[in-house]
Amino acid sequence: MTTQPPDVVPESADLILNRDPLLAFELGNDDSLPASSIDQIDLKIRRQDDPFSKPYWQQFRLPCQGKETITALLRKLRNQPVTIDGETVDPVAFDHNCMEEVCGACAILINGKPRMACSALIEEFNGMITLEPLSKFPIIRDLIVDRSRMFAHLKRVKAWITLDGTWETQQPPLRMSPHDVAVNYLYSRCMYCGCCMAACPQYDENQEFVGPATLAQVRLLNHHPLGQYEKTERLHRIMTVGGLSDCGNAQNCVRVCPKEIPLTTAIGELGRAVTWQLFKDLFGD
Amino acid sequence: MQTSIHDSHFILRRLHSLFGLIPIGGFLVLHIWENGQSHLGAEYFNYYVAQPIMHTTYLLIIEIVVIALPLLFHAGYGLVIIGSGSAEPFRYRYRRNWLYWLQRVSGVAIVAFLALHIGLTRVAAWLDPAIYQDLFGYMQQSLTQPVTLVVYLLGLWLSVFHLSNGLATAAIAWGLTTNAAAQRRFGYVCLLIGVILGSLGTHALIGFLP
Ligand code: HEM
Ligand code: SF4
Ligand code: SF4
Ligand code: FES
């Protein structure tokens, strides 16, 4: 691809516009990846039988290839759930769906950090791989967590667009500049996996903070041609308990987001929008 | 829907951030600059630095309204904020995450340092007004004890770190720096400010030594 993103577009736009590395990888002629020679791997998995029981650890040894993903490994394990001590146990429960890092279902902690299991290759890790359920969310079973509070957060900040309104819906769509489209596209790729929430020191079950991904959706919708009509309401909804000012700028979110969504840029831009809104609320429009 | 100015949570957070900069941050800068004059000798310091401050009209009111109350609010609410987060500096070894963690650690350390510092100066002078006649000599006597000097150096650098890192995060919170590149650039500016303030403060402390 020759198209270059405009200067101001965050770096991750490269990922959309430049697919060469991906193609090379798929065709199997990417020299940057070492030939994989791993033939077996040890997995240490934190298990929990139900939401209320105690977690415990189990270890497994599985045949594998370096280019396999963690999800592939978990699927293999499901067929033969035998621990390293030879004990046959209940298969490990885990979430997955798209297998191409777009649905957000398979987020877990791999070696302590939030990752998508379907895009984490075994050869990226050395030695035993530790799998735990995604932190900050209630555990349902084994690696499956309940992320419904993320949906509640989206509702809370009005992360949608009202189609029925005082304007004509059959009007031609409002125009956006290609630059704005490119920037908004970055945010629209959020798959609500929860990795950023898991890594955020300000986000957890006992806090009201709506979390970085939710804030990024406010940024997205407030710049949407139709969404902008409810901009003020969304800003007001993040100018309260659990809103923008509960962010402590640790910026872990942007480091762990598998889609490289410019979360800290969203937070900075919202900071400015919220400051303006404060002045408007104080002194009138 | 309530608007922001009726939302106490939002207003408190913004006041916490604002007070950190003005007046507390401003006072810290002034305080470091003032004490930099320790290099000009005991007589100069006592006559041109200590005396004018003591003879400022409304001194007590200024001290309470401009320094003590905002500081108490910032520190008190700061402790509440610290309680609401869970830093994991060793799981996520990213620079900003360490700064996030250090901002909290330094906040708590500053509370302890300030209690000691105010106790040794302001409160001590209340009990013994003679201290103000030769403040320089008193500070010299205090700082020649290695323990006190080390505690002061620590308190200084932690406060300066807390202020300059706070400047960087306040810039994000208020929307001065919006994108990641600007935040990084301004981060380096804050680092420079921190190093300059810390050096000035160290220079000031050395100035009290015999
Ligand atoms: C020398 C005195 C102090 C100065 C100059 C100062 C200054 C600042 C500044 C400028 C900020 C940035 C605000 C923002 O990010 O929006 C800040 C944040 C903070 N301060 Fe202080 N502060 C001082 C003392 C304290 C004390 C005694 C505590 C008590 C624990 C404290 C706790 C905090 C906390 C927790 C934050 C982070 C707030 C957040 O990230 O949301 N500070 N401070
Ligand atoms: S912002 Fe990134 S890490 Fe967070 S939920 Fe969306 S895709 Fe996942
Ligand atoms: S920058 Fe804010 S939202 Fe992101 S991890 Fe840090 S505290 Fe959480
Ligand atoms: S299975 Fe959909 S993101 Fe991993």
Side-chain angles (χ1 to χ4, degrees):
Chain A
M1 287 281 292
T2 48
T3 327
Q4 281 297 313
D7 283 352
V8 273
V9 177
E11 287 153 15
S12 43
D14 287 345
L15 289 179
I16 313 164
L17 300 174
N18 179 7
R19 297 178 55 244
D20 291 350
L22 197 64
L23 287 176
F25 176 72
E26 279 171 356
L27 296 172
N29 51 10
D30 184 347
D31 306 332
S32 69
L33 292 173
S36 64
S37 58
I38 310 164
D39 48 14
Q40 68 174 25
I41 189 84
D42 284 353
L43 281 182
K44 190 176 161 200
I45 303 181
R46 199 176 90 199
R47 310 200 52 180
Q48 185 170 325
D49 296 338
D50 60 69
F52 312 103
S53 61
K54 277 214 167 104
Y56 56 95
W57 292 91
Q58 274 176 352
Q59 226 168 295
F60 304 90
R61 180 164 295 156
L62 287 169
C64 71
Q65 283 170 6
K67 297 245 189 292
E68 275 179 305
T69 66
I70 299 290
T71 304
L73 214 54
L74 286 168
R75 286 166 65 120
K76 229 184 259 180
L77 182 62
R78 194 161 58 177
N79 296 334
Q80 224 179 1
V82 183
T83 67
I84 207 157
D85 309 319
E87 187 193 350
T88 304
V89 292
D90 284 340
V92 176
F94 64 102
D95 253 337
H96 67 305
N97 187 14
C98 70
M99 299 293 277
E100 53 176 359
E101 203 191 72
V102 291
C103 76
C106 65
I108 55 173
L109 296 186
I110 305 179
N111 287 349
K113 294 233 181 90
R115 288 282 305 262
M116 304 316 285
C118 74
S119 60
L121 297 182
I122 291 163
E123 65 185 4
E124 292 176 51
F125 307 96
N126 290 323
M128 185 160 63
I129 301 175
T130 309
L131 306 182
E132 294 164 82
L134 197 63
S135 48
K136 310 290 173 77
F137 297 100
I139 293 167
I140 296 175
R141 179 172 186 165
D142 294 340
L143 301 177
I144 301 181
V145 294
D146 176 4
R147 284 172 289 185
S148 51
R149 62 194 307 264
M150 289 201 297
F151 188 52
H153 292 326
L154 284 175
K155 288 194 271 189
R156 189 160 155 189
V157 301
K158 201 168 190 196
W160 66 84
I161 286 163
T162 313
L163 277 179
D164 290 332
T166 51
W167 56 89
E168 300 275 344
T169 41
Q170 63 271 50
Q171 262 175 209
L174 289 147
R175 297 299 178 97
M176 285 175 80
S177 73
H179 170 264
D180 289 349
V181 171
V183 175
N184 278 10
Y185 184 62
L186 293 176
Y187 295 105
S188 71
R189 293 168 311 141
C190 173
M191 53 189 177
Y192 249 61
C193 60
C195 286
C196 55
M197 317 282 210
C200 171
Q202 296 287 111
Y203 187 92
D204 72 61
E205 281 179 64
N206 308 317
Q207 302 300 326
E208 297 230 31
F209 185 37
V210 295
T214 316
L215 293 173
Q217 292 308 297
V218 173
R219 152 66 182 76
L220 170 67
L221 291 166
N222 278 3
H223 287 75
H224 185 281
L226 292 176
Q228 63 183 343
Y229 295 113
E230 284 130 338
K231 186 176 164 197
T232 308
E233 185 177 350
R234 282 192 209 95
L235 289 180
H236 279 152
R237 289 187 183 205
I238 58 165
M239 294 166 88
T240 181
V241 184
L244 181 68
S245 48
D246 287 17
C247 160
N249 294 303
Q251 306 205 336
N252 288 346
C253 50
V254 78
R255 298 293 198 122
V256 301
C257 172
K259 306 309 275 186
E260 301 202 19
I261 290 173
L263 294 162
T264 50
T265 299
I267 287 168
E269 287 183 12
L270 287 174
R272 186 176 290 180
V274 154
T275 300
W276 281 127
Q277 190 58 47
L278 173 65
F279 286 131
K280 283 184 186 174
D281 292 343
L282 263 178
F283 302 115
D285 271 302
Chain B
M1 186 90 218
Q2 266 201 331
T3 66
S4 59
I5 48 172
H6 301 116
D7 190 281
S8 56
H9 182 84
F10 178 74
I11 296 294
L12 286 176
R13 287 283 178 139
R14 282 289 160 122
L15 282 182
H16 178 259
S17 172
L18 182 69
F19 283 179
L21 296 174
I22 3 174
I24 314 172
F27 172 73
L28 181 62
V29 176
L30 185 76
H31 192 55
I32 287 175
W33 172 79
E34 251 169 17
N35 285 304
Q37 298 170 64
S38 59
H39 281 276
L40 302 172
E43 251 165 67
Y44 182 96
F45 189 86
N46 283 336
Y47 189 74
Y48 287 107
V49 183
Q51 292 294 333
I53 294 177
M54 269 176 269
H55 294 120
T56 305
T57 25
Y58 305 127
L59 180 63
L60 190 65
I61 296 176
I62 293 175
E63 279 178 330
I64 291 175
V65 176
V66 182
I67 306 170
L69 290 181
L71 185 63
L72 276 176
F73 169 74
H74 183 89
Y77 198 59
L79 290 173
V80 174
I81 294 176
I82 294 175
S84 74
S86 51
E88 295 180 286
F90 296 103
R91 185 191 291 267
Y92 304 105
R93 294 161 189 263
Y94 311 124
R95 198 166 11 162
R96 280 275 187 207
N97 193 41
W98 270 75
L99 294 175
Y100 165 91
W101 180 61
L102 285 173
Q103 184 75 0
R104 277 140 185 83
V105 173
S106 60
V108 175
I110 294 169
V111 174
F113 172 70
L114 285 182
L116 187 87
H117 180 44
I118 297 169
L120 281 178
T121 53
R122 199 68 176 85
V123 178
W126 251 325
L127 304 176
D128 176 12
I131 288 176
Y132 272 156
Q133 296 316 310
D134 181 16
L135 191 58
F136 187 94
Y138 176 76
M139 286 312 293
Q140 184 166 68
Q141 193 194 355
S142 222
L143 290 172
T144 36
Q145 285 160 5
V147 190
T148 322
L149 185 64
V150 169
V151 169
Y152 267 74
L153 279 170
L154 267 176
L156 165 77
W157 281 95
L158 285 173
S159 305
V160 162
F161 162 79
H162 190 93
L163 173 61
S164 21
N165 186 49
L167 192 61
T169 55
I172 303 172
W174 291 85
L176 177 71
T177 50
T178 55
N179 67 26
Q183 290 165 10
R184 197 174 320 120
R185 269 195 305 270
F186 191 64
Y188 286 116
V189 174
C190 293
L191 176 66
L192 187 70
I193 294 176
V195 171
I196 292 174
L197 277 178
S199 312
L200 284 175
T202 308
H203 194 227
L205 282 174
I206 295 171
F208 283 110
L209 299 179

